[in-house]
């Protein structure tokens, strides 16, 4: 958990906070995320997600689209000696990662956001937080 601001360099490398590096391990998976961000999963968490996605019925158009979205953008990654991850250009383009980024911990994954997109998303979500919380009442939250 947590929120950290870092800059991505001209080669597409981004420093990941050490607390996240420890949780992600040496090898991890990076892919497209929801809401125009990048998701980063520890290898074991990715494998569990992969098993769940395999159970989706391939005869359903939405299931095929969803699995294609995740798998086509996914790649294995590792940290360099400075604790940076090299974000593939396709993911940088998808999430508009150009300079200022926000790295957040969300349960069992890390998300990487363009700072201005994150700030806009957070402001919109914050304004409707009580409505969102109320709608989650049925989830026994």
């Amino acid at each position: 958990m947590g929120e950290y601001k870092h800059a991505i360099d001209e080669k597409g490398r981004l420093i990941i906070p050490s607390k996240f590096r420890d949780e992600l391990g040496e090898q991890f998976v990076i892919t497209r995320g929801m809401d125009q961000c990048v998701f980063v999963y520890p290898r074991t968490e990715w494998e569990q997600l992969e098993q769940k996605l395999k159970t989706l019925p391939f005869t359903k158009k939405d299931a095929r689209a969803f699995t294609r979205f995740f798998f086509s953008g996914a790649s294995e990654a590792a940290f360099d000696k400075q604790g940076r991850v090299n974000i593939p250009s396709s993911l940088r383009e998808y999430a508009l990662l150009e300079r200022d980024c926000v790295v957040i911990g969300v349960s069992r994954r890390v998300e990487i956001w363009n700072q201005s997109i994150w700030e806009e998303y957070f402001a919109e979500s914050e304004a409707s937080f009580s409505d969102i919380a109320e709608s989650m009442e049925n989830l026994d939250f």
Side-chain angles (χ1 to χ4, degrees):
M1 51 188 161
E3 177 182 322
Y4 303 89
K5 294 179 181 176
H6 290 279
I8 195 167
D9 71 14
E10 65 281 348
K11 295 181 180 178
R13 298 173 300 191
L14 180 69
I15 293 174
I16 302 296
S18 63
K19 68 184 280 184
F20 295 155
R21 291 194 306 261
D22 293 342
E23 293 295 321
L24 290 170
E26 290 184 28
Q27 294 274 324
F28 49 92
V29 176
I30 186 167
T31 191
R32 283 184 210 96
M34 305 293 189
D35 305 309
Q36 204 174 9
C37 72
V38 171
F39 285 174
V40 186
Y41 290 97
R43 191 78 186 131
T44 55
E45 189 66 27
W46 176 258
E47 289 167 0
Q48 291 174 11
L49 177 61
E50 189 174 14
Q51 290 304 314
K52 289 178 185 175
L53 291 175
K54 283 181 181 180
T55 66
L56 295 175
F58 76 92
T59 56
K60 301 282 186 182
K61 185 177 181 179
D62 288 346
R64 290 191 310 271
F66 191 78
T67 54
R68 286 176 184 143
F69 176 83
F70 269 89
F71 288 121
S72 66
S75 62
E76 291 185 340
F79 296 111
D80 66 11
K81 292 178 182 179
Q82 286 81 31
R84 299 174 299 190
V85 60
N86 188 354
I87 301 171
S89 61
S90 61
L91 296 180
R92 290 194 314 267
E93 290 170 17
Y94 166 76
L96 301 177
L97 301 176
E98 296 169 349
R99 173 110 179 103
D100 296 326
C101 298
V102 177
V103 181
I104 63 172
V106 182
S107 186
R108 297 179 180 160
R109 73 173 177 268
V110 171
E111 295 181 357
I112 302 170
W113 289 76
N114 168 301
Q115 184 175 336
S116 61
I117 293 173
W118 168 251
E119 289 170 353
E120 182 179 326
Y121 176 84
F122 187 82
E124 289 174 9
S125 297
E126 186 178 36
S128 60
F129 183 74
S130 60
D131 294 334
I132 294 168
E134 189 175 313
S135 71
M136 295 181 73
E137 182 180 332
N138 294 337
L139 300 176
D140 198 27
F141 180 67

